[in-house]
Amino acid sequence: MSKLIERRTHRNPRLLVFYGGIILMAAVLTGGLIYRQLLNSGKYAERERIQSLRRVVAPGPRGNIYDREGRVLVGNRPRFSVTLDLAELRAELSAELRIITRNYAALPAEDRLNYDQRLRLARVSVAQRYLDQVNLILKRDEKVRSASLNNHFNHSLLLPYVLLDELAPEEYARLIERLPVNSPLQVYTSSTRHYPHGSLAAHALGYIGVNTNPEVEDFPGDDLRQFKMKGAFGRDGLELVFDDLLQGEAGGAIYLVDPAGYKVPGAEGTVDKRMPVQGRNITTSIDLDLQLATEAAMKDGEGRDRIGAAVALDIRTGEVLTLVSKPDYDPLLRVPNLEPEADVAKSGVWLNRVTQGQYPPGSTFKIITALAALRAGAIEAATTKFTCPGFYRVGNRNFPCHNRNGHGERDVRGALRDSCNVFFYKYGVEIGPNLISAEARRFGFNHPTGIELPHEFLNPRVADPDWRKANWQRFRLADGIWRDGDTANIAIGQGDTLITPLQAACMVASFARGETETKPTIIHDPKRPVQRTTSIGLPPSDYNAVLEGMEQCYLIGSGRLSKVEGLRGAAKTGTAQLGRKEMAWVVAFAPVDNPRIAVVVVLEGEEDANFGGGSNAGPVVAAILRAWKEKQDRSAGQPVNLSMR
């Protein structure tokens, strides 16, 4: 029986190899699973997190800008839009795509649309159906913009798509009432910059640009795919200088999205969220009442803007009360305020003429020449007189007075009152250019004022022999030699000296305080102390002689059109030549016995036309001083003389 049972004790070595291979593969598979699921689990979890989460950044509203009395000059207003939630359209899009595909299937091959074309068509078709609901309510006929919609699908799927923007308040109200609460259509309210007074103080306030890359600080999700709503940044004026202060703090949100990129609905779809915060506010030194009066005065009889600048300072503190540069622009739209036929490129509409305009000071500079001659002893306030025959001979050339018949005998008071060129030719040449230019530098004509506005003219120049020697080639002057005729010119504010209207305002404010410099500011501080700088350094009799000349100019002289009844003031007119144009100047301050407000106006005339300072700029100065006086009278409880308007 044992012979019938065959025993196999021999093993096949090929089976061992087979078993070994199976064991090896199992080990590799197990090791791979361990590596991926245990050792590399964090990496894949991070990938999943990045793929399933999206980060949205929303900028904060900008801070407001107020006038010195807390009235809004720049603020924010609601901006109403109709948006479409694309995440709720997936079923409709799929159905529309199937219909379009079926309709095009029967067409010849050359007329069929590819998948991308059909998809874009489906998107537009569905979106238009919803827009038509809005059109019906608002009685509009708006069309969906295909390129915009498809770009939004491809790059900003997480954000609602804006179908209509800038709705009127009444349209907003109608939509709120009639749109279903659960509709993919929603009325969205955001914030946009608002300039309630239009172009008022445009060059001071500035304008904003679109910020497409707002940042949110100390908020997680930097490594996630991001969607950023558009914000704003300052591009000029106070909007630019104080952009960091006005800029709101951006908010953020992290959303959970499905594989198609749509936000997961409900509370579980929002992982983290922080609300935006409005920026800080600024209180300027501008007085809205004076600003409005100045803006109105800077128009001609037909309501057109004059070209020029006007500025008023609080003499005690240097705070800017009004600042106007014409022509101007709409800060919200950046649309120039020009006549239709005007050339924007040549108008200088973006130029802030108060801080950037470069003008020869004309006869307003005679204040500087008078002070220099008095300090040098060339003029005795009580005794010095000179007869004006209508011209003054310097070398072999006659320099004319604006009164060709002559003013007759004049002292420094009468010379300032009547703006007699001959008197200042005489004593300007006598003291020489260096003393005149040194006096101009004492009053800050050789450096910018440092006001908190951008792009101030950084290189104002006071002409003298050294300046001419260094710059004659640069400015294409005849040569580098200074002559007595050049001194005669600078003594009356002509020649190569250039200043800004703001520098002139600082000069007259300083003179009114009996000092030499004023630091202007456009930021209001109710606790700001009275400025104190270097004294002019004249005995009272000499200072009063100049003051009396300016007061007579205001009352009966060349500046009499600046006069306001019941307000004791002082003024000096000027007419300067710049190229083929004349510049009309008036500098003034009031009241003489308690100086509070300094005003400077400069207007640009037409080419080759006479354009006197007192007759053209004087009425603008009067309008500003009158508005200031009436406001002072109201605050003091005194009756206002309305007949003087």
Side-chain angles (χ1 to χ4, degrees):
M1 186 70 179
S2 61
K3 295 181 179 179
L4 297 176
I5 301 174
E6 183 179 359
R7 297 191 174 200
R8 297 184 61 89
T9 58
H10 179 71
R11 295 181 179 179
N12 192 333
R14 287 177 295 180
L15 290 176
L16 294 177
V17 174
F18 175 74
Y19 293 145
I22 291 176
I23 293 172
L24 179 62
M25 286 188 292
V28 170
L29 179 61
T30 303
L33 291 174
I34 293 173
Y35 175 76
R36 290 179 178 276
Q37 295 186 13
L38 297 180
L39 300 180
N40 225 13
S41 61
K43 175 181 176 182
Y44 291 104
E46 180 65 12
R47 285 184 182 178
E48 181 184 6
R49 184 186 72 86
I50 292 175
Q51 290 174 356
S52 62
L53 296 178
R54 298 290 185 269
R55 188 178 193 243
V56 176
V57 177
R62 292 175 70 81
N64 296 333
I65 302 178
Y66 298 100
D67 91 325
R68 64 189 301 112
E69 296 180 7
R71 293 168 290 190
V72 176
L73 299 176
V74 184
N76 300 299
R77 65 170 176 82
R79 180 174 184 167
F80 304 119
S81 308
V82 179
T83 63
L84 188 60
D85 189 344
L86 304 179
E88 299 185 29
L89 304 182
R90 281 177 290 181
E92 291 183 63
L93 285 171
S94 297
E96 186 69 20
L97 184 59
R98 286 195 297 271
I99 293 171
I100 292 174
T101 300
R102 186 165 59 249
N103 291 341
Y104 276 87
L107 295 177
E110 62 271 16
D111 294 331
R112 296 175 190 171
L113 300 177
N114 61 36
Y115 176 79
D116 286 341
Q117 291 171 325
R118 297 196 306 272
L119 180 60
R120 288 196 294 269
L121 187 60
R123 290 168 175 174
V124 172
S125 178
V126 172
Q128 186 64 52
R129 284 204 296 267
Y130 282 99
L131 182 55
D132 286 340
Q133 296 178 31
V134 177
N135 285 334
L136 182 63
I137 297 172
L138 300 183
K139 295 180 172 53
R140 289 197 187 193
D141 187 25
E142 304 289 345
K143 300 297 181 185
V144 171
R145 294 170 296 166
S146 175
S148 171
L149 177 66
N150 282 285
N151 182 67
H152 192 90
F153 261 101
N154 294 333
H155 299 100
S156 303
L157 185 58
L158 195 61
L159 302 178
Y161 177 69
V162 178
L163 281 176
L164 286 181
D165 202 5
E166 292 287 358
L167 296 176
E170 58 273 16
E171 293 178 317
Y172 167 79
R174 290 207 300 273
L175 288 172
I176 285 292
E177 181 180 350
R178 297 183 59 181
L179 281 180
V181 175
N182 59 351
S183 171
L185 287 169
Q186 294 297 321
V187 181
Y188 176 71
T189 304
S190 60
S191 174
T192 190
R193 214 57 171 148
H194 179 48
Y195 301 85
H197 304 285
S199 64
L200 179 134
H203 290 90
L205 301 175
Y207 60 92
I208 59 170
V210 176
N211 179 12
T212 59
N213 190 34
E215 297 292 341
V216 55
E217 297 181 359
D218 301 323
F219 189 73
D222 285 340
D223 56 340
L224 299 177
R225 184 177 178 185
Q226 299 194 59
F227 300 89
K228 296 187 176 184
M229 299 181 182
K230 292 179 181 179
F233 68 98
R235 295 199 61 185
D236 201 4
L238 292 171
E239 293 274 28
L240 169 62
V241 174
F242 293 98
D243 186 57
D244 289 343
L245 190 68
L246 293 166
Q247 193 69 255
E249 182 180 331
I254 296 177
Y255 295 119
L256 183 65
V257 298
D258 62 19
Y262 293 98
K263 176 180 175 295
V264 173
E268 64 272 16
T270 302
V271 177
D272 198 356
K273 193 169 188 178
R274 180 198 295 171
M275 297 301 294
V277 178
Q278 184 171 3
R280 294 172 62 186
N281 300 326
I282 292 174
T283 299
T284 72
S285 59
I286 289 174
D287 185 313
L288 178 58
D289 300 318
L290 264 64
Q291 186 74 26
L292 288 168
T294 307
E295 300 267 355
M298 288 288 284
K299 294 183 180 294
D300 62 19
E302 298 179 4
R304 296 173 300 190
D305 284 337
R306 305 168 188 259
I307 299 177
V311 59
L313 301 181
D314 183 320
I315 288 173
R316 300 166 301 177
T317 64
E319 291 190 351
V320 173
L321 301 176
T322 179
L323 187 153
V324 175
S325 177
K326 296 291 184 178
D328 58 12
Y329 57 88
D330 184 328
L332 189 59
L333 304 176
R334 292 189 63 203
V335 175
N337 188 4
L338 296 171
E339 292 301 302
E341 67 276 8
D343 187 334
V344 175
K346 294 181 180 179
S347 70
V349 69
W350 311 121
L351 181 73
N352 183 353
R353 285 170 165 79
V354 174
T355 60
Q356 297 172 270
Q358 304 167 34
Y359 301 103
S363 291
T364 64
F365 195 81
K366 291 172 182 174
I367 299 170
I368 298 294
T369 304
L371 294 173
L374 286 164
R375 278 166 39 83
I379 295 176
E380 295 288 342
T383 60
T384 299
K385 295 181 180 180
F386 189 74
T387 300
C388 168
F391 66 91
Y392 184 74
R393 192 165 187 83
V394 179
N396 59 359
R397 176 184 169 191
N398 287 336
F399 282 71
C401 192
H402 69 86
N403 184 346
R404 298 305 175 95
N405 295 321
H407 288 103
E409 190 176 69
R410 291 290 184 272
D411 63 4
V412 67
R413 299 169 185 81
L416 286 167
R417 177 191 67 215
D418 301 326
S419 200
C420 177
N421 288 348
V422 167
F423 186 92
F424 292 98
Y425 290 147
K426 155 72 175 172
Y427 295 104
V429 171
E430 186 171 318
I431 64 173
N434 291 326
L435 289 180
I436 296 173
S437 62
E439 195 69 16
R441 292 188 182 93
R442 286 213 313 149
F443 278 86
F445 281 3
N446 63 323
H447 61 76
T449 68
I451 193 170
E452 308 94 333
L453 289 175
H455 318 307
E456 183 178 11
F457 178 37
L458 297 179
N459 298 300
R461 63 179 189 245
V462 175
D464 61 14
D466 289 340
W467 178 88
R468 187 182 183 94
K469 184 177 180 180
N471 293 282
W472 72 274
Q473 290 179 316
R474 176 185 174 192
F475 293 102
R476 298 179 181 179
L477 306 176
D479 54 41
I481 301 172
W482 188 274
R483 299 172 176 82
D484 284 346
D486 297 309
T487 304
N489 269 331
I490 66 165
I492 64 165
Q494 292 292 161
D496 296 312
T497 294
L498 292 178
I499 63 171
T500 66
L502 182 59
Q503 286 179 300
C506 291
M507 179 273 290
V508 74
S510 301
F511 175 82
R513 294 198 316 272
E515 299 171 355
T516 57
E517 287 213 46
T518 293
K519 172 66 175 175
T521 176
I522 199 165
I523 301 301
H524 179 54
D525 180 357
K527 298 181 180 179
R528 193 184 303 278
V530 175
Q531 291 198 20
R532 288 288 177 257
T533 60
T534 306
S535 170
I536 287 179
L538 283 175
S541 59
D542 287 352
Y543 175 82
N544 287 334
V546 178
L547 179 60
E548 290 165 12
M550 292 178 65
E551 186 172 10
Q552 290 178 23
C553 177
Y554 171 84
L555 289 171
I556 60 174
S558 59
R560 58 190 176 276
L561 293 182
S562 307
K563 182 174 65 174
V564 174
E565 292 297 330
L567 182 62
R568 188 182 172 198
K572 182 69 196 79
T573 62
T575 303
Q577 197 79 26
L578 187 61
R580 295 170 57 186
K581 289 184 178 181
E582 287 188 342
M583 309 290 135
W585 283 90
V586 171
V587 302
F589 70 88
V592 169
D593 50 355
N594 180 26
R596 297 281 302 282
I597 181 172
V599 179
V600 168
V601 173
V602 58
L603 300 176
E604 300 182 17
E606 300 291 335
E607 290 187 355
D608 302 321
N610 292 328
F611 200 65
S615 58
N616 290 282
V620 181
V621 172
I624 299 170
L625 291 176
R626 185 177 300 113
W628 181 85
K629 179 181 182 299
E630 290 177 356
K631 188 160 187 175
Q632 300 304 307
D633 290 346
R634 284 194 298 271
S635 64
Q638 298 178 14
V640 176
N641 184 1
L642 298 179
S643 65
M644 291 303 298
R645 284 194 178 276

